[in-house]
């Protein structure tokens, strides 16, 4: 199975190189077909790898680590599946160490699914400026970087894959972004790259301090021998790593790059940015920060929880003030990632399970929301709610109905995927790790609960603004085509998964051994 994991990295990277090597006259549809086939194979391979990981005889699950100062269980020891471990740069003590477990594998499958759906979507729906061949190639490079980040078990390797994603997404926003506002899309792309480079630099400094303390970059070794102590160099390392990962999530006040990046990116860029790229930060906190520096993480956890709670409220209030549907969904991601940050900060089994579950649910639901926002923008040539009007459901009943479904899922309606993550996170804040101040987390839990109410308010406001109106007030030409066949095929898996994860949470929860 180690060969299969390497293939999941190599195949999309080689396909991207082949696409760039094709003659200049190669049609957009050929590129989209190649991308769909390759990403489809990666999706099949990732599902096969996941099923083999979950076989009853396989011991390769996220184990537990307990330190003297953090008596509650945390993801720690890694019993990697499909492992590849070889010396890569001996002079720097860097190893080419890959492997997966039940924490990383669902995120790899989610990545493969969303990239496949984006390539499939591009078979019929392409950016106005064309150049689909280059766009598909960049999507495949992003897939390589994200899967590599989720499977890296060496800190330097994690950093390198983490950075592979940066330039392709910058190009996707800068070249294929909003063609009505060239200056705005360039500004959004530049802000994105500057903020993420800043965060990555801090994270790398934190990794170097970890190596100084532990003498290794290997996450398996670090998981078995976590760095004790909540002060001094360990605390500095934890703060640097936390800030670097918080930029990627992003958490308030490091979220300033996100709304413009989402608003100006093309549809497939927004889907991948929200669906998988934001998860690199939250995954890094669970995979690196908690198990490697548990005592230092306990020291900064109340501050992380506080900033996360501010993100929940600030994101929700910003959503209530938005007049652009893509920016509204972007700010909603700030709030949802705030919930995930709060769950991680609780350092409790319930909170961590909720954060992991919310990671997957947010990727599916917000991916669907951005697909829908892109479809609405394509039909109206704008994403401004005031220009679109209130008659969407009357003129486009299928798209209007799907938008209502996705909004209800995102606000946490019981029976849909968005509910379980938030519920477990609030439960984790009610029962934080024993070393954390419970009163502080109880207050934050109440404030986060108010944020959940605000989430319902702005999504219901969005439904009212778009769906409840008189169709006679808007010309029929603005609503030429309802749900197309390619849109139905592309969005159906996300709808099905939203229902399945809402009705059957053990699908994921049963495989996280720290719960």
């Amino acid at each position: 199975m180690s060969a299969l994991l390497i293939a999941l990295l190599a195949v999309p990277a080689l396909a991207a190189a082949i696409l760039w090597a094709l003659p200049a006259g190669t049609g957009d549809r050929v590129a989209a077909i190649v991308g769909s086939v390759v990403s489809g194979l990666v999706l099949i391979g990732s599902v096969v790898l996941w099923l083999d990981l979950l076989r009853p005889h396989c011991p390769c699950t996220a184990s537990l680590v307990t330190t003297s100062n953090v008596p509650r269980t945390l993801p720690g020891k890694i019993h990697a599946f499909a492992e590849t471990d070889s010396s890569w740069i001996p002079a720097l003590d860097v190893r080419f160490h890959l492997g997966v477990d039940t924490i990383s594998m669902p995120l790899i499958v989610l990545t493969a699914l969303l990239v496949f759906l984006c390539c499939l979507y591009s078979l019929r729906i392409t950016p106005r400026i064309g150049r689909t061949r280059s766009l598909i190639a960049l999507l495949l490079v992003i897939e390589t970087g994200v899967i590599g980040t989720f499977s890296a078990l060496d800190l330097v390797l994690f950093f390198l894959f983490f950075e592979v994603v940066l330039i392709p997404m910058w190009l996707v926003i800068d070249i294929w972004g909003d063609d009505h506002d060239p200056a705005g899309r360039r500004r959004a792309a530049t802000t994105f790259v500057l903020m993420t480079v800043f965060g990555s630099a801090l994270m790398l400094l934190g990794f170097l301090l970890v190596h100084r303390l532990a003498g290794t970059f290997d996450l398996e070794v670090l998981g078995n021998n976590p760095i004790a102590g909540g002060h001094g160099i360990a605390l500095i390392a934890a703060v640097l790593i936390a800030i670097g990962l918080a930029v990627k999530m992003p958490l308030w006040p490091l979220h300033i790059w996100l709304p413009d990046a989402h608003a100006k990116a093309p549809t497939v860029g927004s889907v991948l940015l929200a669906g998988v790229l934001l998860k690199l930060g939250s995954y890094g906190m669970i995979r690196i920060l908690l198990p490697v520096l548990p005592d230092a993480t306990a020291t900064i956890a109340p501050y992380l929880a506080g900033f996360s709670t501010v993100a929940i409220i600030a994101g929700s209030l910003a959503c209530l003030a938005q007049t652009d549907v893509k920016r509204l969904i972007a700010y909603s991601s700030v709030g949802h990632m705030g919930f995930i940050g709060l769950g991680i900060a609780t350092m409790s089994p319930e909170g961590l399970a909720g954060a992991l579950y919310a990671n997957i649910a947010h990727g599916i639901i917000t991916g669907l929301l951005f697909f829908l926002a892109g479809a609405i923008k394509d039909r109206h040539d704008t994403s401004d709610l005031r220009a679109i009007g209130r008659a969407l459901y009357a003129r486009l009943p299928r798209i209007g109905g799907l938008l209502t479904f996705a909004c209800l899922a995102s606000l946490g309606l019981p029976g849909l995927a968005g509910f379980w993550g938030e519920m477990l996170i609030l439960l984790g804040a009610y029962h934080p790790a024993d070393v954390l101040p419970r009163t502080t987390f109880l207050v934050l839990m109440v404030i986060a609960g108010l944020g959940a109410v605000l989430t319902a308010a702005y999504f219901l406001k969005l439904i009212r603004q778009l769906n409840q109106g008189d169709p006679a007030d808007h010309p029929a030409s603005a609503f030429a085509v309802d749900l197309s066949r390619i849109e139905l095929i592309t969005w159906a898996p996300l709808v099905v998964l939203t229902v399945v994860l809402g009705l059957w949470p053990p699908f994921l929860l049963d495989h996280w051994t720290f719960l």
Side-chain angles (χ1 to χ4, degrees):
M1 283 297 166
S2 61
L4 178 57
L5 179 57
I6 292 175
L8 296 182
L9 298 172
V11 169
L14 291 173
I18 292 171
L19 283 174
W20 275 317
L22 289 175
T26 303
D28 288 348
R29 185 169 175 79
V30 172
I33 290 173
V34 171
S36 299
V37 171
V38 170
S39 58
L41 291 174
V42 173
L43 175 59
I44 292 171
S46 64
V47 171
V48 170
L49 188 62
W50 194 9
L51 292 175
D52 202 58
L53 169 65
L54 297 181
R55 288 168 64 185
H57 72 271
C58 181
C60 310
T61 56
S63 293
L64 309 177
V65 61
T66 303
T67 70
S68 58
N69 293 329
V70 186
R72 298 292 296 273
T73 54
L74 297 172
K77 293 181 181 179
I78 300 171
H79 298 284
F81 182 64
E83 188 173 12
T84 297
D85 185 9
S86 60
S87 180
W88 183 28
I89 311 175
L92 300 178
D93 193 28
V94 177
R95 304 186 65 80
F96 188 79
H97 193 180
L98 300 173
V100 297
D101 63 5
T102 52
I103 290 177
S104 58
M105 201 63 236
L107 291 166
I108 291 175
V109 174
L110 174 65
T111 301
L113 173 65
L114 290 179
V115 173
F116 171 64
L117 296 181
C118 286
C119 291
L120 204 63
Y121 188 77
S122 300
L123 283 171
R124 292 296 180 91
I125 302 171
T126 58
R128 292 180 181 178
I129 68 168
R131 303 174 68 178
T132 302
R133 180 180 57 150
S134 296
L135 176 61
I136 296 296
L138 290 172
L139 296 184
L140 294 176
V141 173
I142 290 172
E143 181 173 38
T144 299
V146 173
I147 293 177
T149 305
F150 289 145
S151 58
L153 295 179
D154 181 277
L155 290 177
V156 175
L157 191 63
F158 177 94
F159 172 79
L160 293 176
F161 277 121
F162 196 89
E163 293 303 290
V164 164
V165 178
L166 177 60
I167 300 302
M169 182 53 70
W170 170 52
L171 292 173
V172 168
I173 298 171
D174 188 47
I175 298 174
W176 289 273
D178 189 352
D179 53 357
H180 294 303
D181 185 14
R185 74 168 185 258
R186 291 192 185 97
R187 182 175 61 252
T190 302
T191 304
F192 164 76
V193 75
L194 290 177
M195 286 293 296
T196 49
V197 165
F198 164 74
S200 298
L202 295 181
M203 182 178 70
L204 181 59
L205 288 175
F207 290 170
L208 294 175
L209 291 179
V210 167
H211 186 273
R212 178 184 173 183
L213 292 171
T216 182
F217 289 116
D218 194 282
L219 281 170
E220 261 191 330
V221 176
L222 290 167
N224 289 322
N225 303 280
I227 298 172
H231 303 284
I233 295 177
L235 179 59
I236 294 172
V239 170
L240 291 172
I241 294 171
I243 293 174
L245 294 170
V247 171
K248 202 73 169 185
M249 288 181 64
L251 292 181
W252 184 92
L254 303 171
H255 69 289
I256 57 174
W257 61 268
L258 181 66
D260 282 340
H262 273 312
K264 302 304 179 184
T267 298
V268 294
S270 295
V271 169
L272 292 184
L273 188 58
V276 295
L277 265 66
L278 303 187
K279 311 305 178 290
L280 298 179
S282 54
Y283 170 78
M285 288 189 180
I286 295 173
R287 172 61 74 215
I288 299 171
L289 194 61
L290 271 67
V292 175
L293 296 157
D295 296 336
T297 301
T299 301
I300 66 172
Y303 303 97
L304 175 61
F307 285 119
S308 299
T309 305
V310 172
I312 295 170
I313 300 300
S316 299
L317 292 176
C319 285
L320 288 170
Q322 295 307 306
T323 58
D324 183 282
V325 63
K326 291 192 73 175
R327 289 183 68 86
L328 188 151
I329 298 170
Y331 274 111
S332 78
S333 290
V334 174
H336 285 106
M337 296 309 293
F339 269 104
I340 293 171
L342 176 60
I344 295 169
T346 67
M347 299 178 68
S348 67
E350 299 87 356
L352 292 171
L356 289 168
Y357 206 95
N359 254 342
I360 303 298
H362 178 264
I364 293 169
I365 297 168
T366 308
L368 177 59
L369 279 169
F370 273 114
F371 270 130
L372 288 162
I376 293 169
K377 184 175 181 179
D378 289 342
R379 284 158 175 79
H380 298 83
D381 203 29
T382 181
S383 55
D384 192 315
L385 292 168
R386 295 163 297 185
I388 296 170
R390 294 176 176 267
L392 186 68
Y393 184 76
R395 300 290 190 176
L396 299 173
R398 294 180 180 86
I399 288 180
L402 281 173
L403 178 68
T404 301
F405 169 83
C407 288
L408 293 176
S410 192
L411 65 83
L413 183 73
L416 298 176
F419 170 74
W420 295 105
E422 291 187 6
M423 186 272 290
L424 286 169
I425 288 166
L426 293 176
L427 181 60
Y430 185 74
H431 291 295
D434 296 338
V435 294
L436 299 178
R438 189 181 180 194
T439 301
T440 299
F441 277 82
L442 285 175
V443 172
L444 296 177
M445 180 197 72
V446 173
I447 297 173
L450 294 176
V453 175
L454 290 175
T455 301
Y458 67 71
F459 272 123
L460 293 175
K461 179 183 176 183
L462 175 62
I463 294 170
R464 180 177 180 274
Q465 282 184 300
L466 282 181
N467 283 348
Q468 297 179 334
D470 186 352
D473 295 338
H474 303 277
S477 60
F479 303 89
V481 179
D482 200 356
L483 187 67
S484 67
R485 181 178 300 176
I486 192 66
E487 289 170 334
L488 175 61
I489 294 171
T490 303
W491 303 343
L494 301 178
V495 173
V496 171
L497 285 172
T498 299
V499 175
V500 169
L501 292 181
L503 297 178
W504 189 29
F507 180 76
L508 292 176
L509 295 178
D510 279 357
H511 305 294
W512 292 328
T513 57
F514 53 86
L515 185 62

